[in-house]
Amino acid sequence: THPRGCLAIRKSGEEQANVGFSLGMPKGGKTADFKKRKQKLGKKKLAPTSTTATQFKTRSVVLLEQAQFADGRDTQPTTSRGSHTLPELLAQLRHYSPDVRRDALLGLNDLLHDHPSLLHTHAAEVLSGAAPLVSDTAARVRRALLTLLGAVLPRLEQSAALAPHEPLLRLNLQAALSREEPAVRADAVDAVALLLAARPA
């Protein structure tokens, strides 16, 4: 071969090598898979390039109708005609004022009349809170209790729900009948008559 031809081939190879270096190819002709980033002093630590971000954001939706209604029923508390709930009326039965105790008994009577289902679900609470007032020193409180007992005892007996509460009623009636005040004993006799009328012995 002619020496000029060898020179031309060698020059062509050098030009291709120069082109490769000008395109940023590393020495040795191999392309880097990942370019390593340099950590700057005082900056947030760089995340590894081989990790996959797994963070995600969530959004919640609150339905106002579900907060206000459950199974199609209004969640507003049931109140008496005086705007008192059952727990409030039961708490007022222990109030120091006779007028508050009397009003609580009358409020219970109205509430249980307007919402009959409350009597069957809360009979134990109502009777355990009201029965001790048969010995109350205030006549107006005892008379309000007789009104309540006259309304709820027959209804409980009709639904066969009075018997479990009879021992509690008899215990409080016996305590009232043993009191020294004649007026208390007289009202206790009236309460016994209501119990016997609702549940004959």
Side-chain angles (χ1 to χ4, degrees):
T1 58
H2 198 280
R4 182 178 297 178
C6 295
L7 181 61
I9 293 174
R10 184 179 300 174
K11 184 176 181 181
S12 176
E14 291 177 355
E15 289 177 352
Q16 291 178 358
N18 291 334
V19 171
F21 285 114
S22 65
L23 293 176
M25 293 176 61
K27 294 181 179 180
K30 296 183 180 180
T31 304
D33 293 334
F34 298 99
K35 185 177 181 181
K36 186 176 181 180
R37 296 178 294 177
K38 294 183 178 180
Q39 176 69 44
K40 294 183 179 181
L41 185 63
K43 297 294 183 178
K44 184 179 179 180
K45 185 177 180 180
L46 297 175
T49 56
S50 60
T51 59
T52 303
T54 58
Q55 296 86 357
F56 57 91
K57 296 181 179 180
T58 60
R59 294 180 181 272
S60 60
V61 178
V62 178
L63 300 180
L64 296 180
E65 292 184 358
Q66 290 183 357
Q68 295 175 355
F69 298 92
D71 299 330
R73 294 173 295 178
D74 193 349
T75 57
Q76 292 297 325
T78 304
T79 59
S80 66
R81 299 172 190 176
S83 300
H84 293 295
T85 63
L86 180 61
E88 291 173 344
L89 292 172
L90 294 176
Q92 290 174 4
L93 294 177
R94 301 185 298 272
H95 199 274
Y96 67 89
S97 171
D99 291 334
V100 174
R101 297 196 299 271
R102 175 202 59 193
D103 292 343
L105 289 168
L106 297 177
L108 280 173
N109 191 32
D110 293 338
L111 181 64
L112 298 176
H113 178 271
D114 296 340
H115 306 278
S117 61
L118 290 177
L119 176 59
H120 301 289
T121 55
H122 300 282
E125 302 164 69
V126 171
L127 293 179
S128 62
L133 296 181
V134 70
S135 300
D136 200 284
T137 56
R140 57 188 179 276
V141 175
R142 298 194 305 271
R143 301 310 297 181
L145 174 63
L146 293 176
T147 300
L148 176 64
L149 293 178
V152 302
L153 293 183
R155 290 165 51 191
L156 288 174
E157 178 61 20
Q158 290 174 2
S159 60
L162 180 57
H165 311 292
E166 190 173 353
L168 171 68
L169 294 172
R170 290 183 178 274
L171 181 64
N172 283 277
L173 291 173
Q174 290 173 359
L177 290 169
S178 63
R179 294 289 295 268
E180 295 181 357
E181 301 91 331
V184 174
R185 295 199 303 269
D187 287 337
V189 171
D190 291 341
V192 171
L194 291 174
L195 178 60
L196 292 177
R199 185 175 173 79

